[in-house]
């Protein structure tokens, strides 16, 4: 283990070590706020398992499993544990597949049942078409039904199943969504499966537990309750930092578990942390305290910092006012890096909900309109981090391979092909001229690079069709439904499809998906690079939903409902400037999550990225009314709330 395991203990670390040292070990939940050093506690927990139970694990050929949300996070933890053979670190998907892979007959039965369920659901949909269902939707459903019946007849002949990026059941490939449904099913239905998991991994730690699906959380709880052998389950996370709807949020502790709060904050200045605690006040009972960090020369004092709110008109002066805010912050803080410069993306991190402003400026306006402006909610949420199934193959594979190719990093190109494509699998190379295969792959990669990084006029639809026909990638079946020959020309959604209506927009209308997909496939492939710049840190803009875990000295958060089409969030509703919709009220009455809850969490995540100074800009139609309301909320200190008059005074 590296130095992180040797950092001074917090009370949470002591409580965690006590849980691990008990006989049998006690399961737990650690709730750790932003900047609390959650990963450090996780590393310490892994170290404690090895110190207390290492010999027993080694003698029994057992390991401790640490599963997390992303490959990046898994890599970070893996480096920290020093590649210890007793520790298995992986993403949730990879861990789930590791458990399921030996049970090929059960997988086959589950796949057959899943296809049957899809056929039944589609059959019911076709039997209950309403008057608003368009003919092109009916045609797509007919194609899907034909494909499902073909799959159903071929499953028995599949030799074995493996895990890939997209699912193709007839080729024995299961996708990400399949894995997260398959393993909870096996855990629920197969007592032996539960026992084998607990015997192989008597300790399982789940990082970023708020982002883990409810089905996976409940499945792991079932193992803990019903495996019949000792099994220590630990969740590390923060429900206030859940942004996407697929995450479970708060994991409820079982009656025998330990509930471990971690209150420290090692990241934010005092002023920023005061704001963070105020935002969190109505969300849960965790109050964080400023904590001193240790640097090479000793203790690093927590800076006082600043947290200012600017309430400004939502009009054509937005850009000019953002410039004024930055100038004002530079003068007030004595930090000239608030001012724009050539290295702007390194100076100030400007956080926005996916914005027309950013999309147009950076050059992916068509892509933004297709997958965000009038798209289904699932597309909008996945658009923010590249996880939506239409664009996922572009973000995971095509864009990275183009970046590697244009930079001359051919080893990286080959690594990506081996990881994501079946064209270099041992089975696919039987009887094949390998030199010819490599030559064809080189030409294909060059064509993709020209389409994305050049000005060839290639559309995203052209790109994905080429990828599919050459079998470079196994695409999601939902995507294949839109890549058939003679596809219907793109059409605009009709007025009755809910445009302009908050409640209607929250519905996942199949016509809306169809229109969104057709527009997406017609987008120029060249816009993918601009989109990649946007969702990576190479842009001064960052989505508020995509920056969890990141931190910056200077943060500018823009609250602007008028510039956003993301109906899952509304700052004006959260701040009480706009009443809840009928749908919101129904959720409130039922004790369910609301737009205001989601927005509070988003605001918390955004503000807690600031190490030292934070500026929040609220663009609204009535700044005077907004100022009065915001002062009543006691989020910001009174003297830190400003209107445009502050610029005249400066």
């Amino acid at each position: 283990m590296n130095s992180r395991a040797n950092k001074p203990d917090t009370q949470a670390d002591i409580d965690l070590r006590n849980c691990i040292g008990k006989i049998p070990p006690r399961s737990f939940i650690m709730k750790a706020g932003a900047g609390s050093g959650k990963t450090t506690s996780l590393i310490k927990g892994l170290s404690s398992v090895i110190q207390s139970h290492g010999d027993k694990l080694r003698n029994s050929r057992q390991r401790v499993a640490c599963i997390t949300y992303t490959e990046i996070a898994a890599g970070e933890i893996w480096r920290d544990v020093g590649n210890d053979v007793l520790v298995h670190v992986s993403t949730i998907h990879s861990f789930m597949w590791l458990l399921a892979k030996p049970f090929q007959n059960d997988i086959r039965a589950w796949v057959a049942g899943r296809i049957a369920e899809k056929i039944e659901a589609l059959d019911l949909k076709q039997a209950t078409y309403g008057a608003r269902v368009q003919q092109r939707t009916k045609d797509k459903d007919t194609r899907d039904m034909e494909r499902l019946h073909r799959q159903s007849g071929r499953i028995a002949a599949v030799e074995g199943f493996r895990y890939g990026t997209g699912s193709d059941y007839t080729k024995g490939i299961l996708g990400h969504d399949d894995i997260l449904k398959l393993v909870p099913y096996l855990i629920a239905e197969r007592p032996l499966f539960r026992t084998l998991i607990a015997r192989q991994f008597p300790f399982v730690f789940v990082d970023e537990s708020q982002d883990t699906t409810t089905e996976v959380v409940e499945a792991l709880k079932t193992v803990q309750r019903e495996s019949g052998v000792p099994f220590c389950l630990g969740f590390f996370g923060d429900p206030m930092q859940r942004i996407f709807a697929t995450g479970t949020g708060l994991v409820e502790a079982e009656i025998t578990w330990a509930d471990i709060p971690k209150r420290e904050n090692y990241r934010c200045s005092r002023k920023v942390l005061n704001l963070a605690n105020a935002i969190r006040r109505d969300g849960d009972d965790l109050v964080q305290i400023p904590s001193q960090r240790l640097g090479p020369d000793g203790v690093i004092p927590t800076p006082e910092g600043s947290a200012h709110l600017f309430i400004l008109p939502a009009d054509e002066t937005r850009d000019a006012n953002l410039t004024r805010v930055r100038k004002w912050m530079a003068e007030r803080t004595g930090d000239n890096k608030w001012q724009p410069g050539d290295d702007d993306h390194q100076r100030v991190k400007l956080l926005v909900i996916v914005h027309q402003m950013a999309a147009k400026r950076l050059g992916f306006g068509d892509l933004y309109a297709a997958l965000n402006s009038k798209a289904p909610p699932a597309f909008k949420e996945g658009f923010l981090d590249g996880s939506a199934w239409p664009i996922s193959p572009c973000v995971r594979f095509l864009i990275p391979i183009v970046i590697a190719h244009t930079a001359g990093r051919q080893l990286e190109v080959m690594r990506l092909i081996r990881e994501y494509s079946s064209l270099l699998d041992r089975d696919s190379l039987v009887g094949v001229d390998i030199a010819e295969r490599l030559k064809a792959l080189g030409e294909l990669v060059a064509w993709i690079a020209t389409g994305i990084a050049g000005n060839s006029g290639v559309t995203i639809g052209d790109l994905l069709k080429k990828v599919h026909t050459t079998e470079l990638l196994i695409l999601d079946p939902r995507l294949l439904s839109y890549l058939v020959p003679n596809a219907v020309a793109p059409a605009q959604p009709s007025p009755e499809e809910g445009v302009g209506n908050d409640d209607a927009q929250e519905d996942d209308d199949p016509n809306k998906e169809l229109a969104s997909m057709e527009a997406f496939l017609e987008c120029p492939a060249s816009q993918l690079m601009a989109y990649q710049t946007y969702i990576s840190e190479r842009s001064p803009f960052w989505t508020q939903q995509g920056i969890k875990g990141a931190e910056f000295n200077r943060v500018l958060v823009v609250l602007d409902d008028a510039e956003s089409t993301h109906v899952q969030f509304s700052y004006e509703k959260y701040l009480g400037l706009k009443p809840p919709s009928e749908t919101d009220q129904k959720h409130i009455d039922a004790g369910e999550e609301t737009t205001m809850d989601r927005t509070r969490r988003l605001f918390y995540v955004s503000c807690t990225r600031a190490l030292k100074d934070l500026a929040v800009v609220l663009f609204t139609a009535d700044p005077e009314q907004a100022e009065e309301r915001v002062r009543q909320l006691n989020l910001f200190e009174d003297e830190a709330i400003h209107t445009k008059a502050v610029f005249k005074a400066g």
Side-chain angles (χ1 to χ4, degrees), residues 502-513:
D502 258 6
D503 297 332
Q505 281 183 318
E506 293 178 8
D507 295 335
D508 210 346
D509 189 331
N511 292 335
K512 187 180 292 184
E513 176 184 303

Side-chain angles (χ1 to χ4, degrees), residues 129-287:
Y129 280 147
R132 292 176 57 212
V133 177
Q134 302 173 13
Q135 184 60 44
R136 55 193 181 139
T137 299
K138 296 178 181 179
D139 293 341
K140 173 186 172 297
D141 289 345
T142 299
R143 295 194 300 270
D144 286 348
M145 183 66 85
E146 292 171 352
R147 175 175 52 80
L148 288 168
H149 278 295
R150 285 196 302 272
Q151 288 182 341
S152 180
R154 297 174 183 172
I155 291 304
V158 175
E159 292 184 2
F161 292 88
R162 60 190 176 89
Y163 169 41
T165 53
S167 62
D168 188 334
Y169 296 151
T170 58
K171 292 185 177 180
I173 301 174
L174 305 182
H176 299 309
D177 291 343
D178 295 317
I179 300 301
L180 295 188
K181 291 181 174 64
L182 165 65
V183 177
Y185 166 81
L186 293 177
I187 288 174
E189 299 296 325
R190 302 286 189 270
L192 177 60
F193 190 71
R194 297 194 289 268
T195 302
L196 290 175
I197 291 172
R199 285 180 176 167
Q200 186 178 3
F201 296 101
F203 295 86
V204 173
F205 293 168
V206 182
D207 188 27
E208 302 290 3
S209 58
Q210 75 279 351
D211 292 320
T212 309
T213 67
T214 300
E215 292 76 15
V216 169
V217 169
E218 290 306 314
L220 291 173
K221 281 187 169 186
T222 301
V223 176
Q224 197 274 332
R225 286 193 304 264
E226 302 178 19
S227 64
V229 296
F231 181 73
C232 178
L233 181 59
F235 292 99
F236 297 77
D238 182 10
M240 191 59 68
Q241 295 189 73
R242 176 175 72 89
I243 301 302
F244 300 108
T246 53
T248 192
L250 176 66
V251 178
E252 296 285 354
E254 301 287 301
I255 192 167
T256 59
W257 294 14
D259 209 332
I260 305 174
K262 190 169 190 191
R263 303 186 183 280
E264 289 77 15
N265 181 289
Y266 297 97
R267 174 190 297 155
C268 302
S269 64
R270 293 181 184 277
K271 294 291 188 182
V272 172
L273 186 56
N274 288 343
L275 172 62
N277 282 330
I279 296 169
R280 191 160 192 148
R281 186 173 53 218
D282 297 324
D284 63 18
D285 59 355
L286 185 69
V287 178

